């Protein structure tokens, strides 16, 4: 008797059927069926779009605090925004190619508008994902209601639906960030223009509240201006270090000079405690220039942002009398030099009138006498201390001073003559520098 022989394949097939891969024709039929089911459900959603929008707005109100605020402020605009976005999303399910550009434009406009309104980006992306989840949920609900046997076919289009959601989340984020960057640039440029107007003294009274807000400074209060010049980046380092910690300042960078608008005096003691920072500082508290070759001029204080232009001119005057080698000059400590710098023509005339005979001596002789006179004044009229500083005997100092009196025709014992000589020496130093 012959035995029946079966191949292993036949045995395996009989016991555990092996699924065959889908042929292209089968895949096409299933995809076509899935699209048919999707389109049928999408058309139903489109017909019931107001209810779908209401459900999304309710979800936003419940789950997203930022949108809760927006709905309280302008519920109609928020509802219409959600309605437009959902309409484009559902329409894109029915006609992906034809509706793509309009849907993208809609999402871009929403991202830009919400950036301008200051809605957090996380809240906006959450809203788009909630919308996508709601659309998918309603597609499943509608199919389950009308043709439960077709729900399984929606699996074949799920990836397309969620890819659409991801694409538009990326799009809205790009629009948001680009608009946010543009807004930041506009704010920076506007703040720069407002600060320049304050420093130039050309600001309109009507612009002062906006300037105060843009610069983060109160409209009323006492201000002084710090002028900093020198090579970059040393100038930038000095600008940051020129004021003590806690000073409220807005820096305005220029080509040759940087200006700091500094709040001088708090309106009340409580103001200093509100932000946890030390109280505002005055120009006398500013440290010396921390970087060699950097020159810093600190003007005297004025009242209100409207007078910042006057404070800037005073800072420029202080900067003008600052030594070229670097340092810090506070205008209040150098008022005679400031007077000379404010009128260089008169200062030059004073120096020539008072010191003319000295200035026409031989260079070595001239410098010895001028240096002795300057040192004696710096030592408060003490010949002994002046001699110690000049490494000579006090009698040598007195002899040189008598010669200065003979050449200038002025007496160092007469107060009026002494004032003229002091101002003339200051004029010579300032104008020579």
């Amino acid at each position: 008797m012959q035995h029946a022989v079966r191949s292993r394949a036949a045995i395996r097939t009989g016991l555990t059927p092996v699924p065959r891969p889908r042929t292209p024709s089968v895949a096409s039929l299933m995809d076509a069926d899935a699209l048919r089911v999707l389109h049928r459900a999408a058309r139903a959603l489109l017909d019931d779009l107001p209810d779908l929008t209401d459900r999304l707005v309710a979800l936003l109100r419940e789950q997203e605090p930022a949108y809760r605020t927006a709905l309280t402020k302008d519920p109609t605009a928020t509802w219409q925004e959600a309605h437009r976005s959902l309409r484009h999303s559902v329409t894109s399910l029915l006609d992906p190619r034809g509706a793509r550009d309009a849907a993208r434009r809609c999402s871009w406009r929403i991202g830009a508008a919400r950036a301008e309104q200051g809605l957090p980006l996380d809240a906006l992306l959450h809203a788009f994902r909630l919308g996508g989840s709601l659309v998918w949920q309603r597609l499943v609900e509608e199919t389950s209601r009308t043709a439960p046997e077709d729900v399984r076919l929606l699996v074949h289009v799920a990836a397309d639906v969620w890819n659409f959601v991801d694409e538009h989340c990326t799009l809205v984020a790009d629009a948001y960030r680009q608009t946010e960057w543009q807004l930041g640039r506009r704010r920076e440029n506007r703040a720069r223009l407002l600060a320049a107007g304050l420093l130039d003294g050309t600001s309109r009274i009507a612009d002062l509240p906006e300037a105060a807000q843009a610069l983060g400074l109160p409209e009323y209060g006492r201000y002084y201006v710090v002028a900093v010049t020198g090579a970059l980046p040393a100038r930038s380092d000095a600008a940051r270090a020129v004021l003590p910690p806690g000073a409220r300042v807005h820096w305005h960078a220029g080509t040759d000079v940087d200006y700091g608008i500094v709040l001088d005096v708090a309106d009340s003691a409580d103001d200093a405690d509100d932000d946890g920072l030390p109280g505002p500082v005055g120009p006398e508290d500013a440290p010396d220039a921390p970087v060699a070759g950097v020159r810093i001029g600190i003007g005297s204080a004025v009242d209100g942002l409207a007078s910042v232009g006057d404070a800037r001119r005073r800072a420029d005057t202080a900067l003008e009398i600052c030594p070229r080698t670097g340092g810090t000059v506070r205008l209040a400590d150098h008022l005679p030099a400031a007077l000379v710098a404010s009128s260089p023509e008169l200062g030059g005339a004073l120096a020539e009138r008072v010191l003319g005979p000295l200035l026409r001596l031989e260079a070595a002789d001239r410098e010895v006498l001028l240096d002795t006179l300057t040192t004696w004044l710096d030592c408060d009229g003490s010949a002994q201390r002046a001699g110690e500083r000049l490494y000579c005997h006090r009698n040598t100092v007195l002899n040189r001073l008598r010669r200065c009196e003979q050449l200038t025709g002025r007496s160092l014992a007469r107060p009026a003559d002494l004032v003229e000589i002091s101002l003339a020496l200051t004029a010579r130093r300032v104008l020579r520098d």
Side-chain angles (χ1 to χ4, degrees):
M1 182 172 84
Q2 291 184 343
H3 296 281
V5 179
R6 289 200 233 173
S7 68
R8 290 184 180 180
I11 295 173
R12 187 179 63 183
T13 303
L15 296 176
T16 307
V18 177
R20 297 179 181 179
R22 266 189 334 177
T23 62
S25 60
V26 174
S28 300
L29 288 175
M30 293 186 67
D31 291 342
D33 288 342
L35 288 175
R36 174 181 54 78
V37 173
L38 174 67
H39 290 171
R40 183 179 61 203
R43 281 191 290 269
L45 265 60
L46 203 57
D47 293 337
D48 200 21
L49 198 56
D51 179 66
L52 185 64
T53 304
D54 289 340
R55 288 181 62 173
L56 176 56
V57 169
L59 285 172
L60 291 174
R61 188 187 299 276
E62 176 186 348
Q63 300 185 22
E64 187 49 66
Y67 267 92
R68 195 177 305 140
T69 302
L71 284 165
T72 302
K73 183 178 180 181
D74 194 347
T76 302
T78 305
W79 190 94
Q80 291 175 346
E81 175 189 284
H83 186 268
R84 284 194 303 272
S85 181
L86 289 172
R87 177 168 53 82
H88 284 290
S89 298
V90 176
T91 303
S92 295
L93 298 177
L94 295 169
D95 184 12
R97 292 184 179 179
R100 181 176 185 273
D101 290 342
R104 289 174 62 86
R105 285 194 299 269
C106 177
S107 294
W108 185 275
R109 284 194 294 266
I110 290 174
R114 287 307 187 181
E116 291 177 353
Q117 295 164 10
L119 185 84
L121 178 57
D122 287 346
L124 182 58
L125 294 176
H126 186 203
F128 265 73
R129 293 191 178 100
L130 279 177
S133 297
L134 182 59
V135 168
W136 176 251
Q137 179 184 343
R138 289 297 302 273
L139 289 172
V140 174
E141 290 175 355
E142 178 62 24
T143 304
S144 298
R145 185 181 65 84
T146 58
E149 69 280 3
D150 290 338
V151 170
R152 60 184 178 80
L153 292 173
L154 288 177
V155 174
H156 299 286
V157 294
D160 294 334
V161 173
W162 289 108
N163 286 340
F164 177 89
V165 174
D166 289 342
E167 176 191 359
H168 282 256
C169 282
T170 301
L171 187 68
V172 78
D174 290 344
Y176 188 101
R177 294 190 182 98
Q178 181 174 324
T179 303
E180 191 176 44
W181 180 83
Q182 292 171 345
L183 290 172
R185 286 296 302 273
R186 284 202 292 267
R187 282 193 295 267
E188 290 175 3
N189 290 337
R190 182 58 179 164
R192 179 171 178 79
L193 289 174
L194 290 168
L198 291 175
L199 292 166
D200 292 341
T202 57
S203 290
R204 301 178 303 172
I205 297 299
D207 291 334
L208 293 179
E210 182 187 0
Q213 182 178 7
L215 305 186
L217 297 169
E219 181 178 352
Y220 302 103
R222 287 185 63 77
Y223 289 94
Y224 64 93
V225 171
V226 176
V228 184
T229 188
L232 292 171
R235 188 169 82 204
S236 300
D237 295 337
R240 288 191 296 269
V242 69
L243 296 175
R248 295 179 62 181
V249 56
H250 175 83
W251 285 104
H252 180 80
T255 304
D256 299 316
V257 181
D258 293 341
Y259 292 101
I261 303 173
V262 188
L263 182 63
D264 181 12
V265 179
D267 293 334
S268 67
D270 294 337
D271 291 341
D273 298 333
D274 289 341
D275 53 11
L277 296 174
V281 295
E284 69 278 359
D285 299 312
D288 290 333
V291 182
V294 173
R295 299 165 54 233
I296 301 175
I298 303 175
S300 52
V302 298
D303 290 321
L305 287 178
S307 300
V308 164
D310 294 333
R312 191 268 306 166
R313 285 186 284 274
R314 296 174 187 180
D316 281 342
T317 300
L319 188 64
E320 189 173 346
I321 61 180
C322 188
R324 298 300 171 189
T325 55
T328 301
V329 168
R330 299 167 181 82
L331 188 68
D333 298 337
H334 298 82
L335 292 178
L339 288 173
V340 170
S342 299
S343 182
E345 296 83 2
L346 292 178
L350 177 64
E352 174 60 31
R353 178 179 176 81
V354 176
L355 303 176
L358 274 172
L359 299 177
R360 285 186 283 276
L361 294 174
E362 292 292 332
D365 197 14
R366 178 183 68 230
E367 294 305 320
V368 166
L369 293 180
L370 289 174
D371 192 27
T372 300
L373 190 56
T374 300
T375 304
W376 180 76
L377 288 170
D378 290 342
C379 293
D380 299 323
S382 170
Q384 180 67 37
R385 283 191 287 148
E388 292 173 357
R389 189 175 294 183
L390 295 168
Y391 303 101
C392 65
H393 196 274
R394 64 181 297 275
N395 290 338
T396 303
V397 173
L398 293 173
N399 289 332
R400 292 175 183 174
L401 293 177
R402 278 193 291 271
R403 190 174 173 208
C404 289
E405 289 179 318
Q406 293 169 358
L407 288 169
T408 61
R410 286 164 173 77
S411 171
L412 295 176
R414 188 180 301 122
D417 289 354
L418 191 61
V419 169
E420 279 194 337
I421 291 173
S422 178
L423 281 175
L425 287 170
T426 298
R428 180 176 179 272
R429 176 183 60 82
V430 170
L431 297 178
R432 182 177 60 181
D433 289 345

